[in-house]
Amino acid sequence: MHAETKDAIVIGAGPAGLTASYELAKHGIRSTILEADQLVGGISRTVNYKGYRFDIGGHRFFSKVPLINEVWDEIIDEDMLIRPRLSRIHYRGHFFDYPLQAGNALSGLGLIEACLIGLSYARTKVFPSRQERNFEEWVANRFGYRLYNIFFKTYTEKVWGIPCTEISADWAAQRIKNLSLVEAVRNALLGGSGKTKDGKIITTLIDKFKYPRLGPGMMWECCESRLEAQGNHTLRGRRVERIRHTQGRVECVYARTNEGELEEFSGDQFFSTMPLRELISALDPAPPDEVLRAANSLAYRDYLTVVLMVKRDKVFPDNWIYIHSPEVKMGRIQNYKNWSPEMVPDSTRTSLGLEYFLWDVDDEWNWSKDRLIDLGMKETIALKLIEENEVEDGTVVRMKKAYPIYDQFYKEHLDVIRRYLATITNLQTIGRNGQHRYNNQDHSMLTGIYAARNVVGANYDIWSVNVEQEYHEETVSDEKATGDRLIPQRVEPDIDAEKVAPDAVIRAAFAKMDPFALGVAMGLVFAISLFMATAALLVKGGDVVGPHLSLLGHFFIGYEVTWLGALLGLIEAGIGGFMIGYVGAGLRNWTMSTYTKLLKRRAEMDQSKDLLDKV
Amino acid sequence: MSTQNADQEVSRAIARMKAGILAFIFAIIGGGGLFVMTAWLLVKGGPQVGKTLNLLGHFFIGYEVTWLGAFVGLIYGALTGGIIGWCIGIVYNRIVGIPSTS
């Protein structure tokens, strides 16, 4: 058995693992990366088949975290393309713009269907589901049942393999950034798009995105090369089988090579991107039964791509198409050439990636390559995207555990696992499967960076990354080395400094007025004013004292311009002033509250526009 | 800070009044209002110009519905409005500033 000692051992050469190693190298810490596969990049790899390059799904390089953009630029600045985004929805022979546009959607669906959608929408507005318990109720409450059935139900069920009624409404709500009142008002007043430090507007996910010239795998191959040059080796074909730990520390990991040899890797710090289920079962000694049960209860959705090489230079202009038509099993079609022209070896050819979301126990998962290619061809022809004789080659790529499943119990299981893992002080779990969290690439990278920084004295809460679906700033705790998971704070205070002043104004403007206080203030002023006015006339005297002011007696019972009347007026004007102040403050608060609800609702609808991207 | 906490923070926050600004606004409304009302009656004209508004002269010494009176009223109105606004602001802030026992 071969044994090696390094400062840090990173399990998995996906975005999280490689970024962790990259960050460690910046701090002078050497690391060894163990990758089970023959390719780096994890789910962000690029597969090369006879010169045709393709992703495991499409990976847009878009992040609202400046740090991640900087890392991408550092690794492959010149090879990064800015690509326009076009993706549409295919449903029953029609293409629909995405995000949905009312005119386009209604013209594609026809007048009768449009009317039925309108009626359905009106019905859910008048009679919404009181409790939003599941995804169906959540979406239908916002778009109406009919639109939900057409544009959300089939695709979501294809991706996740469970009925929408069994998907938690919380999950849907997490997909949509829940803007706070201040954010909603700021967006309404100042516009929704964020700004970078140098004041440039952050492009929305809808318009365009960065993409490496040779696919996302290029990023990770470059990253691997840079690490290699610094003496940080990535060892491919090493499947970690056992993680030996004692007294709250991992001592070493054992990895099996493709040739069957068992290798031992020792280190001071360990980073794991392994699926939590596999990580827990690899621990030696084994964790308590409760932890093992929790890990074994975590579920994953698997993913399969059928790639067809088509003898045509242009098939469709989209980067990808969402396939909502229930007649076919595929969920999306990628057109890799539209991601980068260099993804195909011959510009007269097009490669299409037909994406199937499956369980590894499904029949299709175990179908032969030829049978799957045949299925893909038939379905693509049925969608009228290609002709029968246009396909000249094809291949299949399977990716197990591509999507962590958020079932109704996963949080409880995850909590059990997290509590246990917290007792192993030199092991950090990062990345999508390392945290069983539906992270984007940038989220996974951020967990890697945070974990690496924790080794050199920082105290980041890695589990706070992507707790909300979208975020603008990095987070870090200001309390150091307490060992607890801490409340996140900004790492670079200047990022949002310019938001602070408007936010303070918004908070002050939307703060409630105290009705009682305003009532008392106005009551006092009214009371004293009337008393003084009456007293002034009485002191002044004359034949007929204050005939006009006496007319207030119509409103203030018993009031007249006498000393007794002055006292009565003081009391009654006080009461009247109090009521005016109290009601006025209440009305002002109600108006502000209604206005802010309206703003939040608008903001939520804006967020919902690209809901499919988040499914 | 979570969205919920951020919203709770706003919903719990109680507005404070800037007494000086409130006084200024009330002064403009009071002074400007009285000036405009006086001027309006003068421009409108008639046999008995501003008979009722003239009664303010009981409180604002020197005020009458004339062009000179309009300027005198402007000062009185602004002064009175300012005092009222300032008083409301001060009293409101004092009450809001009393710590809640709940």
Side-chain angles (χ1 to χ4, degrees):
Chain A
M1 190 169 70
H2 165 260
E4 190 175 346
T5 302
K6 282 274 185 177
D7 291 338
I9 302 295
V10 179
I11 304 171
L18 283 167
T19 310
S21 187
Y22 188 76
E23 183 69 18
L24 286 170
K26 285 183 177 176
H27 295 281
I29 299 172
R30 288 204 306 159
S31 57
T32 300
I33 306 172
L34 307 175
E35 170 55 47
D37 224 318
Q38 290 301 322
L39 290 175
V40 296
I43 199 173
S44 297
R45 72 184 58 179
T46 297
V47 180
N48 189 331
Y49 174 79
K50 297 179 184 175
Y52 289 91
R53 295 169 183 275
F54 46 90
D55 293 6
I56 308 302
H59 291 272
R60 284 172 290 159
F61 282 64
F62 178 90
S63 181
K64 291 179 177 175
V65 185
L67 180 59
I68 298 300
N69 286 304
E70 285 166 21
V71 171
W72 284 336
D73 290 343
E74 275 172 25
I75 297 175
I76 53 164
D77 188 18
E78 289 177 1
D79 287 310
M80 193 70 102
L81 309 176
I82 303 289
R83 300 295 297 164
R85 177 198 166 151
L86 175 64
S87 48
R88 288 177 295 170
I89 296 168
H90 188 282
Y91 178 72
R92 295 200 188 282
H94 289 278
F95 283 100
F96 296 90
D97 289 345
Y98 179 82
L100 291 171
Q101 304 291 333
N104 169 268
L106 297 182
S107 69
L109 291 166
L111 190 62
I112 295 172
E113 185 63 46
C115 291
L116 292 172
I117 286 169
L119 287 171
S120 168
Y121 178 78
R123 181 174 164 267
T124 53
K125 290 290 130 187
V126 178
F127 305 108
S129 298
R130 286 182 187 279
Q131 279 187 312
E132 292 176 349
R133 288 161 300 191
N134 55 52
F135 184 76
E136 179 173 296
E137 289 171 346
W138 192 93
V139 178
N141 266 2
R142 282 151 187 81
F143 298 95
Y145 271 94
R146 211 159 177 99
L147 211 58
Y148 151 76
N149 272 313
I150 294 170
F151 289 115
F152 295 97
K153 184 175 190 295
T154 47
Y155 179 72
T156 307
E157 291 184 351
K158 277 181 189 181
V159 173
W160 292 102
I162 46 179
C164 288
T165 50
E166 291 178 20
I167 297 173
S168 161
D170 290 345
W171 177 82
Q174 280 170 10
R175 306 290 95 191
I176 300 302
K177 186 185 175 191
N178 188 16
L179 291 178
S180 72
L181 168 64
V182 172
E183 288 168 318
V185 174
R186 193 199 307 128
N187 280 4
L189 299 179
L190 307 175
S193 46
K195 288 183 175 181
T196 60
K197 277 186 282 187
D198 54 1
K200 290 177 185 167
I201 301 292
I202 292 174
T203 313
T204 71
L205 286 169
I206 307 301
D207 303 327
K208 54 183 83 168
F209 54 86
K210 288 181 178 178
Y211 191 74
R213 187 168 55 80
L214 297 176
M218 185 184 192
M219 171 71 70
W220 304 115
E221 285 158 16
C222 286
C223 186
E224 182 197 16
S225 300
R226 282 171 176 257
L227 288 168
E228 193 69 36
Q230 296 169 323
N232 301 293
H233 304 298
T234 302
L235 306 177
R236 304 182 187 207
R238 261 72 169 188
R239 182 170 295 280
V240 171
E241 289 187 347
R242 192 172 145 218
I243 300 168
R244 202 176 72 210
H245 64 105
T246 180
Q247 294 179 327
R249 288 183 67 82
V250 173
E251 288 184 328
C252 63
V253 300
Y254 296 92
R256 179 86 57 191
T257 66
N258 287 343
E259 292 73 36
E261 190 189 351
L262 196 64
E263 294 179 336
E264 179 186 330
F265 297 89
S266 304
D268 297 324
Q269 297 292 332
F270 293 81
F271 302 83
S272 170
T273 68
M274 290 169 74
L276 281 176
R277 199 164 72 187
E278 291 176 12
L279 173 76
I280 293 296
S281 67
L283 288 171
D284 177 22
D289 285 347
E290 180 200 20
V291 180
L292 287 170
R293 272 197 305 274
N296 286 327
S297 302
L298 295 177
Y300 302 87
R301 186 79 164 147
D302 305 300
Y303 168 97
L304 182 152
T305 303
V306 175
V307 184
L308 302 180
M309 287 68 182
V310 181
K311 291 183 284 183
R312 206 200 299 181
D313 60 343
K314 287 178 185 166
V315 177
F316 51 80
D318 311 62
N319 307 100
W320 72 90
I321 300 172
Y322 293 106
I323 307 297
H324 286 218
S325 303
E327 306 81 33
V328 296
K329 289 179 189 291
M330 75 172 78
R332 271 187 319 210
I333 301 183
Q334 301 286 343
N335 188 338
Y336 301 113
K337 193 180 178 179
N338 292 341
W339 287 77
S340 165
E342 295 187 49
M343 298 292 274
V344 292
D346 178 349
S347 61
T348 63
R349 298 290 189 269
T350 298
S351 61
L352 301 178
L354 322 177
E355 300 183 319
Y356 294 88
F357 305 94
L358 300 165
W359 305 108
D360 60 5
V361 292
D362 286 342
D363 287 344
E364 291 90 340
W365 183 259
N366 296 307
W367 280 6
S368 68
K369 174 182 158 187
D370 289 343
R371 195 174 173 191
L372 284 165
I373 291 172
D374 189 51
L375 170 73
M377 275 176 57
K378 282 179 181 161
E379 291 197 342
T380 317
I381 291 165
L383 294 172
K384 297 181 178 161
L385 293 172
I386 58 169
E387 304 287 334
E388 193 162 1
N389 57 357
E390 286 187 305
V391 177
E392 60 180 7
D393 198 357
T395 189
V396 171
V397 175
R398 292 175 174 85
M399 177 59 74
K400 289 197 82 170
K401 297 186 175 65
Y403 298 96
I405 294 286
Y406 287 13
D407 59 29
Q408 60 188 116
F409 302 114
Y410 92 95
K411 267 187 188 167
E412 293 164 28
H413 299 316
L414 205 53
D415 285 345
V416 171
I417 295 166
R418 281 179 61 179
R419 276 198 298 275
Y420 178 74
L421 289 177
T423 64
I424 304 176
T425 54
N426 65 340
L427 171 66
Q428 298 185 78
T429 60
I430 54 178
R432 180 183 278 200
N433 278 342
Q435 296 193 312
H436 200 80
R437 184 168 288 163
Y438 191 25
N439 284 334
N440 289 328
Q441 183 177 221
D442 61 334
H443 298 137
S444 290
M445 290 173 65
L446 202 57
T447 62
I449 291 172
Y450 284 177
R453 289 184 179 178
N454 282 346
V455 169
V456 290
N459 197 0
Y460 290 91
D461 180 1
I462 302 167
W463 292 89
S464 72
V465 175
N466 195 20
V467 171
E468 289 194 7
Q469 177 61 12
E470 290 184 2
Y471 53 94
H472 279 264
E473 60 273 332
E474 303 155 47
T475 54
V476 64
S477 164
D478 61 347
E479 291 181 41
K480 303 290 184 191
T482 62
D484 294 329
R485 305 240 184 249
L486 299 170
I487 299 164
Q489 292 184 343
R490 293 185 180 91
V491 114
E492 295 180 24
D494 57 329
I495 295 170
D496 274 349
E498 62 191 61
K499 285 183 187 167
V500 172
D503 286 2
V505 172
I506 292 166
R507 283 198 184 91
F510 283 81
K512 282 181 180 170
M513 291 195 81
D514 186 332
F516 177 79
L518 190 64
V520 171
M522 292 192 70
L524 270 175
V525 169
F526 275 42
I528 292 168
S529 298
L530 184 56
F531 181 84
M532 284 175 69
T534 312
L537 293 176
L538 287 169
V539 170
K540 198 176 171 190
D543 295 339
V544 184
V545 179
H548 292 91
L549 200 60
S550 291
L551 295 173
L552 281 176
H554 289 298
F555 308 104
F556 298 147
I557 297 158
Y559 173 77
E560 52 190 9
V561 182
T562 61
W563 286 109
L564 179 62
L567 289 174
L568 279 173
L570 182 123
I571 294 165
E572 292 187 52
I575 293 169
F578 177 85
M579 287 170 68
I580 290 170
Y582 192 92
V583 172
L587 278 173
R588 183 263 183 197
N589 290 344
W590 179 83
T591 307
M592 289 302 242
S593 166
T594 307
Y595 177 61
T596 52
K597 277 180 193 163
L598 186 72
L599 287 180
K600 286 196 77 171
R601 190 169 186 78
R602 273 191 201 157
E604 190 187 272
M605 287 306 286
D606 281 347
Q607 292 282 317
S608 304
K609 276 182 186 171
D610 58 349
L611 179 60
L612 276 183
D613 281 352
K614 297 163 182 170
V615 166
Chain B
M1 184 189 296
S2 73
T3 299
Q4 198 179 4
N5 288 344
D7 282 355
Q8 278 175 354
E9 186 191 285
V10 175
S11 68
R12 275 198 300 262
I14 297 295
R16 293 298 185 110
M17 287 183 178
K18 299 271 185 196
I21 291 172
L22 199 65
F24 181 70
I25 291 167
F26 272 57
I28 289 174
I29 294 170
L34 186 54
F35 180 85
V36 169
M37 283 191 289
T38 311
W40 173 252
L41 294 175
L42 289 168
V43 170
K44 202 175 159 193
Q48 285 184 300
V49 179
K51 191 179 123 187
T52 309
L53 203 60
N54 257 328
L55 296 171
L56 277 177
H58 288 299
F59 307 105
F60 301 154
I61 296 158
Y63 172 76
E64 54 187 7
V65 183
T66 62
W67 283 109
L68 179 62
F71 286 98
V72 173
L74 179 100
I75 295 164
Y76 274 120
L79 206 62
T80 312
I83 292 168
I84 289 173
W86 189 80
C87 287
I88 290 175
I90 291 292
V91 174
Y92 174 87
N93 286 342
R94 281 286 167 90
I95 295 169
V96 165
I98 297 169
S100 168
T101 52
S102 61

